[in-house]
Amino acid sequence: MAVPDSIRCIFVDKVNDVPQPSVQNIAASRFPQGEVTIRIAYSSLNYKDVLACQGHRGVIRSLPHVPGIDLAGTVVASSDPEYAEGDQVLVTGYELGQSHWGGWAEFAQVPASWVIKLPDSLSLFESMFIGTAGFTAAQCLQALQRNGTVPSSGPVVVTGATGAVGSLAVRLLAQNGYQTVAVTGKPEQADALRAIGASQVISREEVTAGDASRPLQSAKWAGAIDTVGGTILSSLVKSTRYGGCVAACGLVAGVQLEMSVYPFLLRGVNLCGAASADCPSDIRVDLWKRLASDWKPGKLDVLVREVGLEELLDYVPRMANGQVAGRIVVNCQK
């Protein structure tokens, strides 16, 4: 299948000196080159994509730009013998949607080293239903298990539980037998969170309650997956039980961690980061195999929506304002 002369995509460029995303047909010759050419079936919406739409220099290097840190589709051409026309593949992380134009387009060319063959038990849609968000949630679960936090250890709390990473983390924990406590600022989503496995739903205020100046707080949690950062993360670390693990993967609530070292020295708490973009290829492949088998998330239909490129533009500002619950999967041919 030949790549058309122009490619329909979400194109971010400055309008009156303000970054503005719009659906456009852009000459294929303007897109970055790579060994593998993919007809993109699906992508997804992530917070980093929202920042790319805003021209955030911590995410992208220059405008114009095509966002989309995830993509899944079919190989239409490859100069690398590892991939053949017709192979179904996915790409998440690396520089996709950052320095390299991303997955919010009908086609993309990417380096062969970024490409993963789609596991047999995953569809293209399912792989983007998981995407970077699910991959990050899996990294967090892996960190908990690596540090000895198992279902019998006690409750594990997930912050930002209605978000993309949070909702998938809730589901992965529940499927693996953990008592999962979901934290959200959207009380109207409590039933949906229970439907995907949360045993308890609490407010953000319940996490941060207490004297913030205290170096330690009442030990409540066996572990935590934090998707927001800031004061909530410090509260979680202070209130984690002896030997517990907190896996951190977000910063929407702040980038500073203001606390003492007492939780680490007196309770042996482990604080682990989840860095999905630069995860080594061998670890990445192994995690995707798990996400296609025993860790494959189910029962998330209540928190998933499929949209086309035009409709996607409505969700970008909504996610920026914290008004999106669950996972948005993008049909790039729609």
Side-chain angles (χ1 to χ4, degrees):
M1 178 180 182
V3 176
D5 293 336
S6 65
I7 296 174
R8 187 168 175 263
C9 63
I10 300 287
F11 194 70
V12 183
D13 205 355
K14 286 188 176 181
V15 178
N16 297 323
D17 209 36
V18 177
Q20 182 69 46
S22 60
V23 178
Q24 295 191 35
N25 287 289
I26 301 299
S29 59
R30 296 184 64 181
F31 280 70
Q33 303 300 297
E35 295 93 351
V36 183
T37 303
I38 302 166
R39 183 179 186 269
I40 303 171
Y42 296 101
S43 183
S44 65
L45 173 61
N46 301 275
Y47 188 69
K48 190 176 285 187
D49 300 319
V50 173
L51 296 178
C53 288
Q54 298 170 345
H56 195 292
R57 290 306 175 91
V59 175
I60 63 174
R61 295 178 184 174
S62 62
L63 292 175
H65 183 71
V66 175
I69 63 171
D70 295 340
L71 68 80
T74 304
V75 174
V76 296
S78 174
S79 61
D80 187 295
E82 182 69 20
Y83 304 99
E85 183 178 353
D87 284 348
Q88 291 192 326
V89 297
L90 64 92
V91 182
T92 62
Y94 300 105
E95 288 297 316
L96 185 71
Q98 297 189 80
S99 65
H100 193 101
W101 287 9
W104 290 3
E106 293 176 317
F107 291 86
Q109 292 187 49
V110 297
S113 60
W114 296 2
V115 181
I116 293 176
K117 288 185 179 179
L118 190 74
D120 290 339
S121 54
L122 276 185
S123 68
L124 292 172
F125 179 88
E126 288 172 332
S127 73
M128 290 295 94
F129 158 79
I130 297 170
T132 290
F135 184 83
T136 303
Q139 286 183 298
C140 291
L141 175 55
Q142 187 178 59
L144 295 182
Q145 294 184 341
R146 187 171 59 239
N147 285 278
T149 302
V150 295
S152 60
S153 302
V156 174
V157 63
V158 179
T159 63
T162 61
V165 178
S167 59
L168 284 156
V170 168
R171 188 61 203 145
L172 284 175
L173 287 166
Q175 286 183 185
N176 282 274
Y178 288 84
Q179 179 187 345
T180 308
V181 180
V183 181
T184 182
K186 301 182 177 73
E188 70 278 5
Q189 295 293 331
D191 288 344
L193 288 168
R194 292 189 185 95
I196 63 172
S199 55
Q200 185 180 359
V201 181
I202 64 175
S203 68
R204 299 165 185 162
E205 290 74 23
E206 290 178 75
V207 175
T208 56
D211 185 354
S213 66
R214 293 183 60 186
L216 288 171
Q217 295 177 353
S218 177
K220 300 177 182 178
W221 318 116
I225 294 177
D226 176 58
T227 73
V228 298
T231 57
I232 288 180
L233 175 56
S234 62
S235 293
L236 289 175
V237 176
K238 292 177 185 180
S239 56
T240 294
R241 298 175 182 176
Y242 185 89
C245 177
V246 177
C249 62
L251 49 72
V252 68
V255 298
Q256 301 300 322
L257 187 61
E258 298 181 3
M259 56 176 293
S260 75
V261 297
Y262 283 117
F264 310 114
L265 303 184
L266 300 182
R267 287 185 181 161
V269 173
N270 300 286
L271 176 59
C272 300
S276 62
D278 295 318
C279 179
S281 179
D282 56 339
I283 298 175
R284 186 181 295 274
V285 170
D286 286 345
L287 268 180
W288 273 107
K289 286 180 180 177
R290 296 210 69 176
L291 285 164
S293 55
D294 56 322
W295 282 10
K296 184 176 180 180
K299 294 187 179 179
L300 278 177
D301 54 309
V302 292
L303 286 174
V304 178
R305 179 183 295 269
E306 179 181 332
V307 302
L309 292 176
E310 292 279 0
E311 191 179 0
L312 174 60
L313 292 175
D314 295 332
Y315 283 87
V316 171
R318 290 169 62 179
M319 178 170 278
N321 294 321
Q323 298 170 343
V324 173
R327 196 79 171 116
I328 304 297
V329 176
V330 184
N331 185 332
C332 294
Q333 301 296 323
K334 184 177 176 182

